[in-house]
Amino acid sequence: MLPDFIVIGAMKSGTTSLARYLGAHPDVFYTRPREPRFFSDFHDTGLASYEALFADALPHQVKGEGSTNYSIAGLRPRVPERIAAVCPDVRLVYLVRDPVERIRSLYQHRLERKPDRRSIDRAVFEVPLYLESARYGAQLDAYLEHFDREQILVISNERLRDERAALLAEVFAFLGVDPDYVPDNLDRTHNTGSDQRRMPAPLTMVRGTLARTPLLERVPVSAKRALRDRTMRRQQPGETVVSDELRARIHDTLRPDLQRFRQIVGPSFDVWGLA
């Protein structure tokens, strides 16, 4: 049993919220864990382990997963090829966001998990992940080598925020389920801000490992809740600020890619006034 759709990213663009909205549709099955990362990090575990993630789907449901590191082609170059080899007819949903705001959010997200003495001005140009995951045109080109354009739906975080119901109707229609269904969690935004309760990084790694085995399912819900409440800490709101100079440098660096992105998505897509 294999997925009918995959949300391929991008990091810090609202994929958690999108997954929750999609999973609330009665005709959609979304995997747990939400980001199995099979085609990027765990493809050597064997296809049976991946298919098992969809075993609980009902016969009428379309099945999907989402892993944000499926759209960092410069760092995970074989992901589109691997997906195409296993699921050639899969539908792909690519959720993007204003690149500067997405980079700022990713920097804050990483900073909360591991201290970094570098300012965002340095980190953006020293850590390849920041700019690579913002090269939306390059990511789409990597997928277009293996999939037809009609198999890829590109949507924006800004529309998910401001036109949520209308955008979800488009996504549902693309997936082939009732587009008029309104999820009961539509008024909620999930996993945003830096003042969330977060589990310390070592425990996050352990939890991620257990989530890919049957062991976590055997732990009583009460025990999971108690452990979460004892170990998770509340972060203070982030104060990362992107200066006008850094914003201009990011725009200049990404401009050729954003122009290519514009060619792919067409003139009606809002490219944040950058192309």
Side-chain angles (χ1 to χ4, degrees), residues 119-130:
S119 68
I120 187 172
D121 302 67
R122 283 184 53 200
V124 166
F125 294 96
E126 293 179 6
V127 179
L129 178 64
Y130 290 113

Side-chain angles (χ1 to χ4, degrees), residues 48 108-109 117 137 172 192 213 238 249:
Q108 188 65 45
H109 174 86
R117 294 182 179 180
F172 288 148
T192 61
T213 73
R249 286 186 67 195

Side-chain angles (χ1 to χ4, degrees), residues 187-231:
D187 60 341
R188 295 183 58 193
T189 302
H190 304 271
N191 197 29
T192 61
S194 57
D195 59 343
Q196 301 167 46
R197 290 171 10 130
R198 302 192 187 281
M199 189 174 289
L203 287 177
T204 299
M205 293 176 63
V206 171
R207 188 182 186 282
T209 300
L210 290 176
R212 293 187 291 274
T213 73
L215 296 177
L216 196 61
E217 298 178 0
R218 300 175 187 172
V219 179
V221 173
S222 58
K224 293 179 186 176
R225 186 177 296 117
L227 178 63
R228 180 196 63 196
D229 291 342
R230 288 175 65 88
T231 59

